[in-house]
Structures are given as C-alpha cells and as structure tokens.
Amino acid sequence: MGVGGGVGEAAAVSAAEEAGKDGEGPGRGWRVKDTFADYAARTSFERPLLSGVAYALRVVHADRESFERQQGWIIKTMKHEPSPVQDEYAPVIYSQETVSYIEGLDMMSGEEDRENILRSRASGKAVLTRPFRLMSNHLGVVLTFPVYLDDLTADAKEEDRVKATAGYLGGAFDVESLVENLLRQLAGNQELVVNVYDVTNNSNPLLMYGSEVPLGNPSPSHICMLDFGDPCRKHHMICRYRNKPHVPWSAITPSSCVFVILMLLEYIIYAAWSRYDNVKEDYRKMEELKKQAEAADVAKSQFLATVSHEIRTPMNGVLGMLDMLLDTDLKSTQRDYAQTAQVCGKALISLINEVLDRAKIEAGKLDLESVPFDLRSILDDVISLFSSKSREKGIELAVYVSERVPEILLGDPGRFRQIITNLVGNSIKFTEQGHIFVQVHLADHSNLATEAKVEPVANGMNGHKNETTAVATSVSCNTLSGFEAADSRNNWENFKLLLSYEKNEMPYESVSDKVTLVVSVEDTGIGIPLDAQGKVFTPFMQADSSTSRTYGGTGIGLSISKCLVEIMGGQINFVSRPHVGSTFTFTAVLQRCDRSAVSDSKPVMLHPLPSSFKGLSALLVDRRPVRATVTKYHLQRLGITSEVVATIELALGAFSGRNGHSLARKLPCMLLIENDSWSSKVDVPLRSSLLEMKQNGQTPVLPKIVLTAAESDKLKGNYAVDSVITKPLKASTLAACLFQALGITQTQLSHEKQDSSGSLRGLLLGRNILVVDDNKVNLRVAAGTLKKFGAKVECVESGKDALALLQIPYKFDLCLMDIQMPEMDGFEATRHIRAMEAKANGEADTGDDSEVDRATRAGKWHLPVLAMTADVIQATHEECTKCGMDGYVTKPFEEKQLFQAVQKFLDPGMST
C-alpha cells in the first residue's frame, strides 16, 4: 500500500476499503468517517497553513450504484447537481470539519480538477491547482496526492499507477496567510510588500498575493522562483519595501527569503508525512481487528454446529428411548414419570432451537422454505398443542380464518407455525381468565393495522392513567369471552364489518401472486407494564426479570418472532394494557398456490376433512356473537350450514315458527348449544318440547342436542344430551363428535386412512431400510422407530460398512446416513454411492452384456439417501445437497418430520 508524492497517506485507502466492502453496515462507514474528521481536527495545529484536508475515493461507473446505496447519498458535481454518467468519479468521503461542505462532491466534475487528478495519479507526484478563493476569502491552492493500493516502484508505468489508484488526498494551502506570517518574522520595523504570481501562462500571470496598486516611491525589488512541488506550474515572488529602506537590501538577501519559505514548506510536508504515517498505522490495526472479528464469526458458526450436534445427539437417545418406553406396558405412575421426562426433554430441545435460531438470524444465515401448506391445518395444530393447558385454566381458546384467505399458500409453514406458537404460548402463560383469540384476515380487508393505538381515556397513557386504574371491570364486553380486550377496535362491530366484506365483496382478484395476511393474537391476560413495553422485542429481556418472578421463559421468543416476521416481508406490533390484556398483530407476505399445483411441487402434508357432513344444517344457541361466528367457521369447514339464535327459547321458536321466527333453510338436524346457555332447568323441558313438536308434525325428526364445553365426559353424564364437543374447537374434534352424535359410520374412512400412503406406516410397511450411525444408542432409537411403523431395518456403524452392503442391485429402498462418523463420514460415503451409481448407469447405457446384467440395464440406479443430522446450521444442509444426498432429517426426528422426508421417495403416488 503506497502513496504518490512521498507522503504516507495510505491510511485513507484502508478507510475507503473499510467503507466499501460488501457485508459492512453503514454504521461502520460513519465511524471511520467520524474518526478521520476528529483526527484531522485534533492535529490541525501541526498544519497551521492548511485550511482543511479531505480524501476522495476513486469510483468507476460500474460500482457507482452500489457505492451510492452504501453511502446513502448520490454523487454530485461542484454545482451540487447529480453527477452525469462518466467513466469514473472521485467523490469526497472523508473530510476535516472545516471543509465538510465538499463531502459527496465529485472532484473530477471540474475540468481543471479532473486534469490535476489525472496528472497526479499518472506521475505519482503532488499536483497544484490554479489559485482560487478559500472560505476565508484568501487566495489559495489545493495540493493533490494520489493514493495507491500497493507500493509502486519509482519507474512504474502509467497504466500500473492508474490501475493501483485507490483515491486522492488533498489539502488546501492559504497562500496569503503563509506569506504574511513569514513577513512578520522577517521584516522587523520595515514593511515589506510581496506579490506572488502564478506564471504558468506568461502572457497572463495570475496574482495570488499582494496588491496591483502602484507604490508612490518605488523601491528596488527582487524576483525569485517558488517551487510548490508541481513541475507543471510556475510561481514568481516579487519582494520590495513599501518605503525607502533604511538599511541596504543586502541585509535580507532573496536567497535567505526563499530558503526560509522552502524550509517552512518542507516542515509542513514533513509534519504531514509523520502524521499520516501514524494514521496509516492506526488503520493497519483496524484492518487486523476486522480480520479477527471475521475469524471470530467463523469460529462462532463452527461452535454452534458443534454444540448443536453434541447436545442433540444424546438428547436424540434420551427422547427416542422415552418414546420407545412409552410404547411398552407401564404402570400409571411409571407412565407419568416417562411422559414428564419426555416433556422436559422436548422443552430443552425447543430452548436450544430458539438460541440457535437467534444466532442464525444475527449471522444472516436463516433462509425460509417455499412449500405449499394449509394455513388452517397449521392453526389447528397450534390449538391442539395448547388445548389441555387452556382447559386446565378455563380459558376460551379459539381461532378464526377469513373465507378470503386462500386454502393453500406458498411459504415456510414451519416458521409461520413458530411465530403463532410463540405468541399463543405467551398468551397462555400470562392469561388466567377470559380468552385467547387468533384471527387471520387479508390485509386489504382488515382494520387491524400494525400501528394500532388504543383510544386514550382522560389523562391516560396507552388506555389507562396508571396500572391501578387499569383493572378490568365486571361489565360484560361484546368479545369472545365477555372480558375486555386491550385493543378497543377488536369488538363485535368491527368483526361484523370484516364478515360483511367476505360475503358482499366481489371475488378477490390481483395481478400479483402475493397475499398479505394480517394475523392477530388477542388475550385477556395480565398485560405488559408500561415501563416494559419498550423492550418487549429485545432478546433475553423480560418484563419481570427478578429471581422471584412468577412466569418462566428466556425472553427470546418475541425477538425471534419479530425477526421471522420481518424476513417474511411483514412487521409486528402490539397493544397492551396492564391488567386488561395484550393484542399482538403481525403481517406476512406469502404466495398463492392452487391445489392442482401441489402435486408438482414439494410434498406437503394436507389434512383433508371428511365430506360426510356436506348438505347438513345446524342451529346454534350462543349469546355471544363473536363466539358463535367462530363455531360457524368450523362448521362451515365441514360443509354444514348454520344459523344463530341467542337463547334456547328462540331456538324452540325457530323450530315451531312461533313469534315470527322461521328458519331460512331446511330444518336443522342438530342443535348446538353453548355451555353457558344450558342448565339443568332446561334439560328435560327442551326434550319434551322437541318431542311434542315431532308429535304435532312441526318437525319430522328430532334434532340431535350437542353441547360445546371444556369438560365433555362430566357434562354428558349429567345432562341428557347426545354429545359434548370438547373445546377448544377445531375441525377434526368437531367431526369426531358429530360422527358419534349423528351415527355416521367411519369404517370406510378409517380403512382408507389405515391403508393409504398418507400415513407413515403406509409408507414404511415392508420397506428395507439401511441405518448408518456410529452411535449405538442412536442406532437403537432409529431402528426402533422405523420398526414400529413396519419397516425392515439393518444397522451398520460406519460409512465403509455401509458401502459393503450397498452393492448394485440394491436390496434397500432407503438409506438413513449419519454425517459425523470416524474413518469415513456420511458425506464421503454418499459421494462413493453416487459414483458407483454413475458408473453402473453408464455401463447400462452401453449395453455390454458381459459387464452389466439385465437388472442393471432395466433402469437408472439411484438410492434415496437421507442425512441424519443433529446440526441445524444452514451450511450443513447445503453440504448434504452438494455431496448428493436427497434430503435430511434432524435428530431427534418425529413421525410428521419423517413422513415429510420419505414421502416423495416411498409414496408411489408422488414418484415421477
């Protein structure tokens, strides 16, 4: 790294490299810029005649767009206009504060400036500009030095110098102040008159210092040449006394004057040399620190991969053995112990996943999948996950998805489920009464904006004056459970408005395949204290971080959710009121996906609902319209039409046609009654009234009476009802209860489900599978899991043993290969397998009967190889694909994950 002109300003090159490298954030560039300005200001006492120094970076046109995007401004000309297109530019990126107004200006936009810059970099020497007025209104010149990326020899060619140029360093010299300070030191009591001219053009000399006014009594003058370091420019200095000298002119000879001036200039250059050498050393140290930071980042990724593998490997054995233990005959106490240990193990795996997810997000290595998925099925899964906890607490847990939301979407179902699970899990944790309500709408129709604000009360903040006044009142609100919600707009009126959009608006059409969803999770929990709301999304921060806190957790879930939402192109926000509740709302940008296109893309687990209920109708009895709408949503998914009345008396009136009540459709076959509308007083009278209406011919068939409640067995035993649907509601549990209540047979459906390839047992039954793992516990777990689903399993402990068994023609349908093994790891073993297959397929194409048998020529050989990895680092997954593996399963693997991994290889319906 070197600088032309013999000045050690190479530190500016390092600064430019720091600011221009990909992957560096703009914050670092500003720190380098501030360091340059601060350093130049603090050392200005050593450059008393320099009004300021600045550094301009060489930017070719091909890099202009990325440079401007990184700097946050566009390159401008000296007239502060956008610079026109040219081969290269020299924008100022670092400057002393006194000349900060030139930052962003292209030093090559001026004709003379461009010529000086080109001459300086071609010659490797300093070049002076023409005289011009500085900000002090004094005449001055700018001395320009080329800055090279590499040290060049003195005889370097011009093209080598141009190629090695990194930028240009300039300093402005105040000529008038320079001469005046010198004269004050030399003249003594006699006043000297000095004129300095730029005589590059002899026919038109330019006055740089002094006055053109003639003297009344001219005195002898002396002319000498001045050398500022630029051989292409010439300067003369003319000295004389203003009055007749009292002493001979020989007292101060011209040579002495020139000597002093040259000594002064040499001192300035020497000081600049020394100071810029120090700057160069500082930036060298910064470069070393940068390399150390990059090495630390690599070490961090390697550490995460190692920690992930070393923790997940024994946890795979623990959870796998517990799963196998639970499949045996255990006493109730033993089963409880095993289930408790399994729950704790899964919680530990979940915590590890969250920490690793956060690390991957910070490193920018978290990638999203793009596969088709059923959003409604994912929400049903989340509801199932928290159903027992919500029933234990007596909380109303419900979900509603707008009809306008497409049935199949394209995105990352795992990450979407992770966001919903984090939000609902927090709501379950902090809610003791009331409800948790999940809604999904299209952004075009939803009034649940992410910048939601609560309507303020008198002198209140975020809806309440203080926490003591924020206690929910006993007045029933028109919400899911009757408890007040934090977001005042989540009421029945706005919800009804959204429903009207769904029914009355024309079919949604868009030129774009993208769909923006608005998802809100509303709870009536303890809320978030006002002083803690600003740090909700901060990693590892909690509202109550004391050792005596009531609620557990790491405080990382919301931080990860926020990052995932932003990666999905959305944003997340919340409204919270202490002692009232919280409402978290986020948007996500997904893509439309037709059901017909699912079979041509990546496999996806769809959950088809039974069609046995289509055409049936029901009558709902529920005094809460929001809750009734949720029930109608689940019935509609099964193909059941429904109408809603508020009381049982109105329901009887609808059946009989009395009091102006009549059913718009045919008589319902079932009567769904919400638990809080039912009591022992209406049990027998309701049955009697329905029987009487049947006898009178008002209803040909008695409707089935179905209750919806949290405790099904207890209510069904106490009341004369046909069935009790256990809350929280979801389509599968609702269908199971209605099958029983209506007497619809499930024999055919169950038989199809058992024998189809839609189950893991249907895929693995009778299949020969080779499992390769050096860990004997993992071998037992994998073999036990696969055998449970009917597979024939053979196990080996090394890649070499696997190659010995995998000879063409294969006797195995699938190979599960561990990655980290001694002697030969899974990557190398897979490469050998693919090479062997390529050779066999090549011989099959030649048709040489002497070397290839008929079975080999019958088809192309390709054994599905899936990696069994305990790593969750993206680099590991990329290496799996690179070496020829067909996919991977993460330890410890579960039934659903294993199904998705092997479906496209073992399901005949999906094979190509």
Side-chain angles (χ1 to χ4, degrees):
M1 191 177 295
V3 180
V7 181
E9 300 91 351
V13 180
S14 298
E17 292 174 337
E18 290 291 331
K21 284 185 177 178
D22 293 337
E24 299 289 346
R28 183 159 189 169
W30 282 109
R31 290 196 298 270
V32 176
K33 181 183 295 185
D34 293 340
T35 302
F36 185 98
D38 183 65
Y39 174 79
R42 291 174 179 267
T43 59
S44 61
F45 68 94
E46 297 200 12
R47 302 182 300 274
L49 303 180
L50 280 176
S51 60
V53 292
Y55 176 73
L57 184 68
R58 183 193 181 201
V59 179
V60 298
H61 180 69
D63 298 333
R64 175 176 179 176
E65 183 178 353
S66 61
F67 172 85
E68 292 177 339
R69 182 169 60 253
Q70 180 182 1
Q71 296 295 327
W73 41 258
I74 63 174
I75 302 175
K76 297 182 179 180
T77 64
M78 293 296 186
K79 298 181 180 180
H80 294 273
E81 298 175 351
S83 181
V85 176
Q86 54 191 41
D87 294 337
E88 59 179 287
Y89 314 85
V92 176
I93 60 172
Y94 305 125
S95 64
Q96 192 174 342
E97 186 176 356
T98 55
V99 291
S100 60
Y101 56 88
I102 66 172
E103 284 188 8
L105 299 184
D106 181 12
M107 293 294 101
M108 299 187 73
S109 59
E111 183 177 352
E112 182 173 358
D113 294 327
R114 179 183 180 88
E115 179 182 352
N116 291 339
I117 288 175
L118 295 178
R119 284 199 298 117
S120 68
R121 77 177 185 188
S123 63
K125 299 180 180 180
V127 175
L128 284 173
T129 63
R130 292 167 55 91
F132 65 94
R133 290 288 176 181
L134 302 176
M135 295 295 293
S136 60
N137 205 31
H138 290 177
L139 277 176
V141 293
V142 173
L143 188 63
T144 304
F145 291 95
V147 181
Y148 298 119
L149 289 170
D150 303 305
D151 291 324
L152 299 175
T153 60
D155 58 347
K157 296 181 180 180
E158 179 177 344
E159 55 268 25
D160 294 335
R161 293 184 180 277
V162 173
K163 184 177 180 181
T165 302
Y168 316 97
L169 190 70
F173 287 85
D174 189 337
V175 177
E176 293 190 27
S177 298
L178 173 67
V179 178
E180 288 174 357
N181 291 340
L182 179 63
L183 293 181
R184 280 196 294 269
Q185 299 177 27
L186 299 179
N189 296 328
Q190 295 294 325
E191 184 177 0
L192 288 175
V193 176
V194 177
N195 288 347
V196 179
Y197 294 89
D198 184 333
V199 293
T200 305
N201 185 359
N202 289 327
S203 60
N204 185 22
L206 298 176
L207 179 65
M208 298 178 62
Y209 178 80
S211 174
E212 293 279 0
V213 180
L215 301 176
N217 187 13
S219 58
S221 62
H222 180 79
I223 301 176
C224 63
M225 296 291 296
L226 294 180
D227 183 10
F228 286 95
D230 185 357
C232 296
R233 303 203 70 87
K234 299 179 180 179
H235 303 85
H236 282 178
M237 181 175 68
I238 303 176
C239 303
R240 63 169 63 90
Y241 285 107
R242 179 174 296 277
N243 299 316
K244 189 174 182 179
H246 298 286
V247 295
W249 176 251
S250 57
I252 303 178
T253 63
S255 59
S256 300
C257 180
V258 173
F259 174 77
V260 173
I261 294 176
L262 292 178
M263 288 295 294
L264 181 60
L265 290 177
E266 288 179 3
Y267 172 76
I268 294 173
I269 294 175
Y270 172 76
W273 177 289
S274 301
R275 189 52 58 187
Y276 283 120
D277 271 346
N278 293 336
V279 174
K280 178 181 178 180
E281 179 64 18
D282 292 341
Y283 278 106
R284 186 190 62 79
K285 293 179 179 178
M286 291 175 62
E287 183 72 16
E288 291 179 356
L289 293 175
K290 175 179 174 293
K291 292 179 180 178
Q292 293 175 8
E294 292 174 346
D297 184 63
V298 173
K300 177 183 176 183
S301 298
Q302 294 174 347
F303 172 77
L304 289 174
T306 303
V307 169
S308 170
H309 183 273
E310 295 302 322
I311 295 180
R312 282 173 167 270
T313 297
M315 284 305 301
N316 174 55
V318 172
L319 294 178
M321 286 299 180
L322 287 172
D323 191 49
M324 296 169 64
L325 178 63
L326 290 172
D327 288 335
T328 62
D329 294 330
L330 298 176
K331 296 180 180 179
S332 59
T333 303
Q334 294 172 331
R335 182 168 297 275
D336 179 61
Y337 291 163
Q339 289 175 342
T340 302
Q342 189 180 49
V343 169
C344 294
K346 290 183 177 180
L348 177 58
I349 287 292
S350 177
L351 177 59
I352 295 171
N353 289 342
E354 287 184 346
V355 174
L356 293 174
D357 280 346
R358 182 68 202 180
K360 288 192 290 184
I361 290 172
E362 290 177 350
K365 297 180 180 178
L366 184 67
D367 296 327
L368 297 182
E369 285 186 310
S370 182
V371 298
F373 68 95
D374 185 354
L375 172 67
R376 292 166 178 83
S377 297
I378 285 181
L379 293 177
D380 283 348
D381 292 342
V382 175
I383 292 297
S384 298
L385 183 63
F386 298 103
S387 58
S388 60
K389 194 68 175 179
S390 65
R391 286 195 293 268
E392 179 184 328
K393 287 189 168 187
I395 300 170
E396 187 88 25
L397 177 59
V399 62
Y400 176 84
V401 181
S402 168
E403 295 180 12
R404 315 293 296 185
V405 176
E407 182 181 6
I408 306 297
L409 294 167
L410 199 64
D412 192 327
R415 296 302 180 183
F416 191 87
R417 179 189 288 108
Q418 184 177 358
I419 298 171
I420 297 292
T421 302
N422 280 339
L423 296 179
V424 176
N426 282 345
S427 295
I428 287 285
K429 184 192 304 182
F430 297 109
T431 302
E432 300 297 333
Q433 60 180 354
H435 67 266
I436 298 170
F437 190 21
V438 182
Q439 300 183 57
V440 183
H441 299 275
L442 289 184
D444 295 343
H445 300 158
S446 176
N447 66 318
L448 303 174
T450 54
E451 288 84 10
K453 293 183 179 179
V454 180
E455 297 177 3
V457 297
N459 300 325
M461 179 180 180
N462 201 15
H464 287 285
K465 184 175 181 180
N466 52 54
E467 294 190 17
T468 59
T469 62
V471 180
T473 63
S474 60
V475 179
S476 178
C477 299
N478 206 351
T479 60
L480 181 69
S481 64
F483 283 78
E484 183 182 5
D487 193 342
S488 60
R489 297 171 308 162
N490 278 10
N491 52 38
W492 168 242
E493 296 301 325
N494 285 344
F495 193 44
K496 185 166 56 175
L497 184 61
L498 288 175
L499 297 179
S500 67
Y501 288 157
E502 298 175 3
K503 296 179 180 179
N504 300 330
E505 193 170 350
M506 295 296 292
Y508 182 81
E509 295 183 0
S510 174
V511 296
S512 174
D513 291 335
K514 292 185 178 180
V515 177
T516 302
L517 302 181
V518 177
V519 185
S520 69
V521 179
E522 171 188 286
D523 67 60
T524 56
I526 63 174
I528 304 173
L530 301 180
D531 57 352
Q533 293 187 7
K535 58 182 180 180
V536 163
F537 296 112
T538 304
F540 306 106
M541 294 294 292
Q542 292 184 312
D544 181 10
S545 58
S546 63
T547 57
S548 60
R549 57 196 175 102
T550 305
Y551 307 96
T554 60
I556 195 176
L558 284 178
S559 171
I560 294 175
S561 297
K562 182 176 185 296
C563 295
L564 292 176
V565 166
E566 292 173 350
I567 294 175
M568 290 183 179
Q571 54 183 333
I572 187 171
N573 214 320
F574 70 95
V575 174
S576 184
R577 294 161 63 187
H579 307 291
V580 175
S582 303
T583 301
F584 281 81
T585 306
F586 72 90
T587 58
V589 181
L590 305 173
Q591 287 185 317
R592 299 177 182 274
C593 181
D594 295 333
R595 181 178 283 272
S596 59
V598 170
S599 59
D600 299 330
S601 59
K602 296 182 180 180
V604 57
M605 287 196 67
L606 301 178
H607 301 278
L609 297 174
S611 58
S612 307
F613 303 105
K614 289 185 178 179
L616 301 181
S617 62
L619 182 63
L620 303 182
V621 180
D622 197 339
R623 57 191 177 89
R624 301 195 187 281
V626 175
R627 187 172 56 189
T629 303
V630 172
T631 306
K632 287 186 65 176
Y633 155 71
H634 290 289
L635 289 173
Q636 184 179 0
R637 293 179 63 190
L638 297 176
I640 302 175
T641 59
S642 58
E643 294 187 23
V644 181
V645 294
T647 63
I648 294 180
E649 290 76 12
L650 292 176
L652 292 174
F655 273 104
S656 62
R658 293 176 289 129
N659 301 326
H661 294 285
S662 61
L663 295 172
R665 303 179 179 88
K666 61 181 181 179
L667 289 176
C669 63
M670 69 188 82
L671 184 62
L672 268 69
I673 305 175
E674 188 63 36
N675 185 38
D676 57 9
S677 298
W678 182 268
S679 67
S680 58
K681 296 180 180 180
V682 300
D683 190 354
V684 177
L686 177 61
R687 285 283 183 180
S688 301
S689 299
L690 291 176
L691 185 60
E692 181 180 352
M693 282 189 289
K694 180 182 179 182
Q695 293 174 350
N696 295 336
Q698 294 174 329
T699 175
V701 180
L702 285 178
K704 300 295 183 180
I705 300 176
V706 181
L707 283 182
T708 58
E711 300 179 3
S712 58
D713 297 335
K714 182 178 179 181
L715 290 177
K716 189 174 181 180
N718 294 339
Y719 300 134
V721 294
D722 296 289
S723 183
V724 177
I725 300 175
T726 305
K727 287 190 174 183
L729 290 180
K730 59 177 183 175
S732 58
T733 56
L734 183 61
C737 291
L738 294 183
F739 272 128
Q740 179 184 2
L742 299 176
I744 300 176
T745 178
Q746 292 181 266
T747 306
Q748 182 178 1
L749 181 66
S750 301
H751 181 71
E752 293 175 355
K753 181 178 180 181
Q754 182 177 359
D755 294 341
S756 68
S757 61
S759 65
L760 186 56
R761 184 173 183 82
L763 292 177
L764 298 182
L765 184 62
R767 300 286 188 173
N768 293 311
I769 298 178
L770 177 64
V771 180
V772 187
D773 198 322
D774 63 316
N775 188 296
K776 294 184 178 181
V777 176
N778 287 340
L779 279 179
R780 293 181 61 188
V781 170
T785 302
L786 295 171
K787 289 178 180 178
K788 182 173 67 174
F789 295 106
K792 301 176 182 178
V793 183
E794 189 166 345
C795 301
V796 294
E797 298 183 6
S798 69
K800 289 185 177 180
D801 294 340
L803 291 179
L805 291 176
L806 293 174
Q807 297 296 325
I808 295 177
Y810 294 131
K811 66 177 182 178
F812 297 102
D813 301 298
L814 180 72
C815 176
L816 296 178
M817 180 86 68
D818 188 27
I819 291 178
Q820 297 185 11
M821 294 184 293
E823 296 184 0
M824 180 184 291
D825 60 24
F827 297 139
E828 185 178 354
T830 304
R831 282 190 285 266
H832 281 288
I833 294 172
R834 297 306 179 219
M836 179 175 60
E837 292 172 345
K839 180 180 179 181
N841 292 331
E843 293 174 350
D845 292 337
T846 62
D848 187 355
D849 290 332
S850 62
E851 298 181 3
V852 184
D853 58 20
R854 296 178 181 178
T856 306
R857 297 199 307 270
K860 297 294 185 180
W861 290 105
H862 183 88
L863 176 69
V865 179
L866 299 180
M868 292 193 305
T869 172
D871 296 341
V872 290
I873 305 302
Q874 184 66 25
T876 304
H877 301 164
E878 293 173 355
E879 185 66 22
C880 292
T881 304
K882 186 178 179 181
C883 75
M885 290 183 173
D886 298 284
Y888 60 88
V889 288
T890 305
K891 300 177 186 178
F893 52 79
E894 298 178 351
E895 178 179 349
K896 185 175 181 180
Q897 180 199 22
L898 187 60
F899 177 88
Q900 291 176 327
V902 304
Q903 183 184 22
K904 63 180 178 180
F905 304 111
L906 302 183
D907 187 355
M910 297 192 66
S911 61
T912 58

